[in-house]
Amino acid sequence: MENREKVLQIKDLYITFNTFSGKVHAVRGVNFDLYKGETLAIVGESGSGKSVTNKTIMGILSKNANIESGEILYNGKDLTKFNDKQFTKIRGSEISMIFQDPMSSLDPVMKIGKQITEAMLVKDNISKEEAKKKAINLMAAVGIPEPEKRFEQYPFQFSGGMRQRIVIAIALACDPDILICDEPTTALDVTIQAQILDLIKKIQEERNISVIFITHDLGVVANVADRVAVMYAGKIVETGTVDEIFYDPQHPYTWSLLASMPDLDTDASDELLVIPGTPPNMIYPPKGDAFAPRNRYAMKIDFEKEPPMFKLSDTHYAATWLLHPDAPKVERPEALMRRIENKKGKAGGK
Ligand SMILES: Nc1ncnc2c1ncn2[C@@H]1O[C@H](COP(=O)(O)OP(=O)(O)O)[C@@H](O)[C@H]1O
Ligand SMILES: [Mg+2]
């Protein structure tokens, strides 16, 4: 892992927003690397800073945002220093993004084919005919039946799942290095959701692109991601491979997320843990470990001092005082342990 090529490096990113109620500390010192050809899932409850982090990478933050500190290194350049003109050059062609609501990224009065070729014609030096051919191939590749006929149709003639496929085709039109998917299946029903997840995985493997997959739903992560970063209150609190996060989670917030989410392996008899309380108001981020007020394992130090990232393996890190050598050993929640055992059993005694 360490000697794989890094396509993106986020260092100490800190983002605030000016609002009438005060300064919102949305992202508070986020660090991660994205490797070539991997899928990194960023998970966390709503409001944890997932979208803001990725909007910063795309250069699409709102006017009231401030980049207080940090670097985003891409091809040797720092994206936090980019102006609009520089971002326009790479957005869509080198780094692409798809969102939750496909309708909002499509022009309702423009034919689908034109929307896909337009992206190509702006960025690539190709003829209209070549662009059309490439677009039809791409439509077929994302699973749109009868692409020649569909090329001439408008967004309203497509179902929600098919629209999301079109959005993916547009995002891929210029062969980006990085594809950011922000809750791409949240608005879709379960069956369609699974199909879109399979498609994203297939595209990632076939094209060897790097994917950042943002979701509040840890349940969908195991099947798409190689690595997971868990975010809480503007920070990454744990990061590891899918196996490390699902079989050996260390941060109490990750425990709660895992135990509170129904997934295919959950038997009806499994009790789902409810995370008590609500995430903090990010105008006044708490001292110490921001999860402490909701954490039944919290110690005095959790309310006073921010935990460092403790290293568990070359790929697994977690920021919780429970990992300090002087901390008492605690048992992970029973509901969580049962689910882990269950999963292990189904995975064939892994
Ligand atoms: N334009 C904005 N103005 C003020 N606050 C914002 C703005 N965008 C996001 N925030 C705040 O930043 C925090 C992180 O938001 P976001 O990244 O969208 O969360 P999520 O993890 O759900 O994607 C939230 O507290 C949110 O209210
Ligand atoms: Mg979001």
Side-chain angles (χ1 to χ4, degrees), residues 97-265:
M97 189 157 179
I98 61 172
F99 298 95
Q100 177 174 335
D101 174 15
M103 220 37 195
S104 68
S105 3
L106 293 172
D107 183 339
V109 296
M110 196 195 282
K111 284 182 181 170
I112 288 298
K114 188 154 186 231
Q115 300 195 44
I116 304 175
T117 53
E118 211 171 45
M120 296 172 180
L121 292 167
V122 173
K123 310 278 182 182
D124 297 349
N125 191 12
I126 57 170
S127 69
K128 269 194 159 166
E129 290 71 47
E130 282 174 290
K132 180 169 181 181
K133 211 174 132 199
K134 200 175 160 193
I136 287 173
N137 284 338
L138 202 47
M139 288 169 75
V142 297
I144 297 182
E146 300 184 90
E148 280 94 355
K149 181 177 141 207
R150 295 299 229 161
F151 188 87
E152 305 294 341
Q153 295 185 336
Y154 292 93
F156 76 86
Q157 295 172 287
F158 290 74
S159 66
M162 284 294 154
R163 276 182 209 139
Q164 194 59 298
R165 289 175 193 266
I166 296 292
V167 172
I168 294 172
I170 296 172
L172 296 173
C174 299
D175 300 313
D177 297 329
I178 299 171
L179 177 65
I180 300 175
C181 307
D182 193 346
E183 311 262 6
T185 61
T186 305
L188 304 171
D189 72 49
V190 179
T191 334
I192 308 296
Q193 189 174 5
Q195 292 170 3
I196 297 292
L197 292 174
D198 284 346
L199 174 63
I200 292 171
K201 196 179 158 89
K202 185 182 126 211
I203 285 165
Q204 184 274 323
E205 283 168 358
E206 283 175 5
R207 295 169 183 252
N208 197 30
I209 57 177
S210 308
V211 175
I212 297 178
F213 188 94
I214 302 172
T215 178
H216 67 280
D217 183 357
L218 199 46
V220 306
V221 164
N223 295 322
V224 274
D226 302 301
R227 286 194 306 132
V228 183
V230 179
M231 270 189 94
Y232 187 78
K235 287 175 191 280
I236 292 177
V237 297
E238 180 160 5
T239 174
T241 63
V242 163
D243 280 356
E244 285 165 339
I245 296 296
F246 280 85
Y247 293 117
D248 190 26
Q250 298 289 332
H251 197 289
Y253 180 61
T254 314
W255 298 348
S256 304
L257 270 188
L258 283 165
S260 67
M261 268 160 198
D263 65 12
L264 297 175
D265 296 340

